[in-house]
């Protein structure tokens, strides 16, 4: 084999390896968080979702969404220049026979950020506030704490935190009416 042909083969192999290594960063990344979110849903054959709320957190963005009879809280991670899917592209069913449909998830965003989310959709129009009772685990003690989310017109809710900084053990999710009466309760224990 002559040197010219050998050089062409070597450069072709190098180009294929380079494209294979760089392709995921080019294809999956987008210059906007919204485009990354839309691409991620398309790759999962889900949506397009109605975006209920957009939540910024230090390492990215969460899109709280609803599609048909499903709800989602999709995480998009911020790269150096581009945005990338971060997990949970699909949805969870809205159970019409339940007052609140909810789920939880966690995903590593970076070495120092583990995003934990509890989120859902409220079917009962009498529920105006969703609370999440947690056991806050500190270095020297534990403490009970209640997180609160005032519902908006879209009826979705989300609680989120960095599990590397704040350690919560889930206790109880509640749905309250305008007078603070408990209309729904779900224990995690």
């Amino acid at each position: 084999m002559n040197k010219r042909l050998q050089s062409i083969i070597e450069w072709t192999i190098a180009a294929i390896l380079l494209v294979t290594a760089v392709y995921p960063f080019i294809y999956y990344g987008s210059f906007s968080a919204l485009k990354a979110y839309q691409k991620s849903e398309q790759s999962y054959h889900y949506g397009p979702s109605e975006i209920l709320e957009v939540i910024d957190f230090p390492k990215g963005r969460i899109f709280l969404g609803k599609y048909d009879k499903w709800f989602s809280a999709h995480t998009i991670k911020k790269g150096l220049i581009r945005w990338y899917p971060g997990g949970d592209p699909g949805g969870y069913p809205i159970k019409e026979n339940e007052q609140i449909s909810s789920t939880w998830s966690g995903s590593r965003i970076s070495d120092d950020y583990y995003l934990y989310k509890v989120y859902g959709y409220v079917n009962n129009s009498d529920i105006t506030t969703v609370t999440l009772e947690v056991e806050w685990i500190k270095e020297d003690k534990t403490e009970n704490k209640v997180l609160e989310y005032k519902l908006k017109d879209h009826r979705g809710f989300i609680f989120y935190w960095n599990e590397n900084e704040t350690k919560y053990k889930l206790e109880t999710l509640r749905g309250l009416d305008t007078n603070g009466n408990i209309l729904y309760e779900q224990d995690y224990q």
Side-chain angles (χ1 to χ4, degrees):
M1 181 178 336
N2 67 28
K3 288 189 176 196
R4 186 167 194 267
L5 181 60
Q6 183 178 354
S7 178
I8 290 172
I9 291 171
E10 287 173 356
W11 278 106
T12 302
I13 291 170
I16 290 170
L17 290 173
L18 180 64
V19 167
T20 303
V22 173
Y23 177 77
F25 296 102
I26 294 171
Y27 178 74
Y28 292 112
S30 296
F31 288 109
S32 81
L34 178 61
K35 287 289 182 199
Y37 169 67
Q38 291 168 338
K39 270 188 189 180
S40 181
E41 278 197 334
Q42 288 170 355
S43 72
Y44 201 68
H45 305 291
Y46 180 81
S49 292
E50 170 192 355
I51 298 170
L52 305 177
E53 192 170 334
V54 179
I55 301 112
D56 288 318
F57 67 97
K59 304 279 184 171
R61 196 166 281 167
I62 302 168
F63 287 86
L64 187 62
K66 181 179 181 276
Y67 170 66
D68 194 26
K69 296 183 186 291
W70 303 78
F71 66 92
S72 61
H74 189 77
T75 306
I76 302 297
K77 296 191 275 188
K78 177 73 170 123
L80 187 59
I81 298 172
R82 297 170 66 118
W83 295 83
Y84 299 92
D88 300 326
Y92 297 90
I94 295 172
K95 298 173 186 161
E96 306 239 352
N97 59 337
E98 294 184 14
Q99 297 183 66
I100 295 179
S101 301
S102 67
T103 190
W104 58 269
S105 67
S107 59
R108 180 153 314 283
I109 302 301
S110 66
D111 288 341
D112 64 339
Y113 206 103
Y114 189 87
L115 180 66
Y116 205 96
K117 302 178 290 191
V118 175
Y119 55 99
Y121 189 83
V122 178
N123 291 313
N124 183 343
S125 60
D126 293 332
I127 295 175
T128 58
T129 304
V130 178
T131 63
L132 179 63
E133 186 176 332
V134 295
E135 184 178 8
W136 187 7
I137 304 166
K138 299 180 180 182
E139 286 183 24
D140 55 345
K141 64 177 181 167
T142 62
E143 178 181 313
N144 285 343
K145 184 174 182 175
V146 177
L147 310 175
E148 184 176 280
Y149 186 97
K150 297 274 187 201
L151 287 174
K152 299 174 178 122
D153 289 340
H154 58 64
R155 310 300 292 162
F157 69 90
I158 185 166
F159 301 98
Y160 65 96
W161 60 91
N162 179 358
E163 186 74 9
N164 285 351
E165 291 177 359
T166 308
K167 300 233 184 279
Y168 289 151
K169 179 183 172 199
L170 303 180
E171 298 286 332
T172 309
L173 183 74
R174 292 187 180 96
L176 311 175
D177 67 11
T178 53
N179 297 319
N181 298 314
I182 298 170
L183 302 181
Y184 174 84
E185 189 167 71
Q186 174 190 345
D187 288 323
Y188 288 101
Q189 302 170 7

